Amino acid sequence: MRNWGLKLCSFLIAAVLWLIVTNINDPVGTFRVYNVPVTIQNAELITNSGQVYEVLDHTDVIDVVTISAKRSIIDSLDESNIIAVADMSELTNLNTIAIKLSTNKYNDKLESIRGNIDNVKLNIEDEKTKTLPLRAVTIGAVKEGYMVGDITTEQNLIEITGPESVISQVKRATVTVNVSGFTSNIGTDSPIRLYDENDKIIDVDSIVKNISKVRVTVEILELKTLDIIWKSTGAPARGYMATGEIHTDRNSVTVAGRSKAIANLHSIEIPESVLDITGATESLEAVVDLTDYLPDGVVIAEEDFKGKVEVTVVVEPIVERVVALDVNRIQILNPPAGFKVEIDTEEDAYDITLSGLERDLDALNFEAIQASVDIAELMQSEGLSTMRPGNYTANLNFSLDDNAVTVKNVPGIRLIITEAEYE
């Protein structure tokens, strides 16, 4: 620690002396620039011949360029002064181009300039152009109670150009629209993506598209479930009857449309004329296309159902069955006062013929058949205002629980009407 002042003074004098010597001698130094882009010249020599090129391994960028020069020169240079070019006219058989490095000032005063790579490596192929249809798809789910309708694009084709090996891999072009939560129509500009046969995206700079985006319109429709009302018309052939049954595997359908189109739509009513059984001798089978009876702008909204329904209107033959009606079960209605009414027959029962569908006859309780003779009706038919004793033939009336069954060939009942005797 002795004479520290003299020591500090000597250090300062030495530093100043070194600076003076350095500036006077102007020694050679080095200067490094990183990530220098290479400009490819005369590229038209390839493109004009129907070919395209692709730079391999990022060799169109030099990671490090090192410059050696006198310090005074280096101090006046920066990265903007570095020039790297590769002239396509110097293309080798190995598809490489030598990189030439220089500076745009003091180039003749440089000791040296070099990069960590010397060549640009290229892949050169025939150029190919391909036209593909544009396909629009949606992702996500619209709000519950709605569905996606028609999807249209402003343009339906795309043209792509690039190396043959790359273009041949492209199998489809698609635009995607996210519809999550939407309840109304969507219009958007969507980017076009290219896919290979395995549905992997092909995204390479060497492909040139004539359009990169396209306008897509997605229709959003409201859903509604409608009842289907089936009706038939006409009368079957003589001896046949419609059972009233219409068999079908579908009595409702879910449809979609704009809110205004389906607001007042509650059912689909199939016209009776569609199921006409006039003259039928067997069940009518028909295929009905529900889409024929939907209003404009309303469509079937069930994925696996195209609107065609098989319908059967059941027609069966009429059968007859003869049953015995016990005389004692015949009621006399409205008997006249002061007269006695008796049924004039030696038989215990009358044979009556019932007519109807076999199923209805099988279900009919014959014991519940009500038969009667109405004396008031008899007097009216005989033109009597007051009853007179005598023999009469009256109509036999029946009351059946099942209106589908009728009595055929109703027998006339002979009556004996006498004045009542009083003791």
Side-chain angles (χ1 to χ4, degrees), residues 5-23:
L6 291 176
K7 293 178 180 179
L8 178 60
C9 183
S10 64
F11 173 77
L12 293 175
I13 293 171
V16 170
L17 181 62
W18 179 83
L19 289 173
I20 294 172
V21 171
T22 299
N23 288 330

Side-chain angles (χ1 to χ4, degrees), residues 15 96 116 119 193 203 214 221 226 244 259 276 321 366 375 399:
T96 61
N116 68 310
N119 298 285
R193 293 186 173 89
D203 186 13
V214 68
L221 303 176
L226 305 176
S259 298
D276 189 348
R321 190 169 299 175
F366 298 113
I375 302 302
S399 175

Side-chain angles (χ1 to χ4, degrees), residues 252-265:
S252 65
V253 63
T254 300
V255 300
R258 295 189 177 182
S259 298
K260 290 183 179 179
I262 65 174
N264 297 318
L265 194 60

Side-chain angles (χ1 to χ4, degrees), residues 31 33 67 73-74 76-84 102-107 110 113:
F31 170 52
V33 179
I67 301 173
I73 300 299
I74 289 175
S76 65
L77 296 176
D78 59 33
E79 59 184 22
S80 65
N81 300 122
I82 310 301
I83 299 173
S102 62
T103 59
N104 55 13
K105 66 178 183 179
Y106 306 126
N107 187 59
L110 302 180
I113 180 169

Side-chain angles (χ1 to χ4, degrees), residues 117-240:
I117 59 173
D118 300 319
N119 298 285
V120 174
K121 300 177 183 179
L122 301 178
N123 175 50
I124 299 176
E125 294 184 48
D126 290 337
E127 184 180 69
K128 183 176 181 179
T129 298
K130 192 174 190 178
T131 300
L132 296 168
L134 270 178
R135 176 189 173 203
V137 298
T138 61
I139 58 173
V142 294
K143 188 176 179 180
E144 186 176 356
Y146 293 82
M147 68 168 283
V148 174
D150 291 335
I151 307 173
T152 56
T153 56
E154 196 172 64
Q155 297 185 49
N156 57 13
L157 294 174
I158 180 176
E159 186 178 271
I160 57 174
T161 301
E164 184 175 15
S165 63
V166 177
I167 296 299
S168 61
Q169 296 179 40
V170 180
K171 300 302 179 183
R172 62 183 178 89
T174 301
V175 289
T176 304
V177 179
N178 192 332
V179 299
S180 298
F182 276 85
T183 61
S184 59
N185 292 353
I186 303 171
T188 184
D189 293 323
S190 296
I192 300 171
R193 293 186 173 89
L194 306 177
Y195 295 83
D196 65 13
E197 60 183 4
N198 296 317
D199 285 337
K200 292 183 179 179
I201 293 179
I202 298 175
D203 186 13
V204 295
D205 294 336
S206 58
I207 294 180
V208 178
K209 306 171 187 173
N210 67 329
I211 52 172
S212 59
K213 290 185 177 183
V214 68
R215 186 72 177 175
V216 185
T217 301
V218 181
E219 185 181 41
I220 307 297
L221 303 176
E222 186 175 352
L223 298 174
K224 196 170 191 179
T225 299
L226 305 176
D227 292 331
I228 305 171
I229 300 175
W230 302 101
K231 293 181 180 180
S232 63
T233 188
R238 186 179 181 85
Y240 293 84

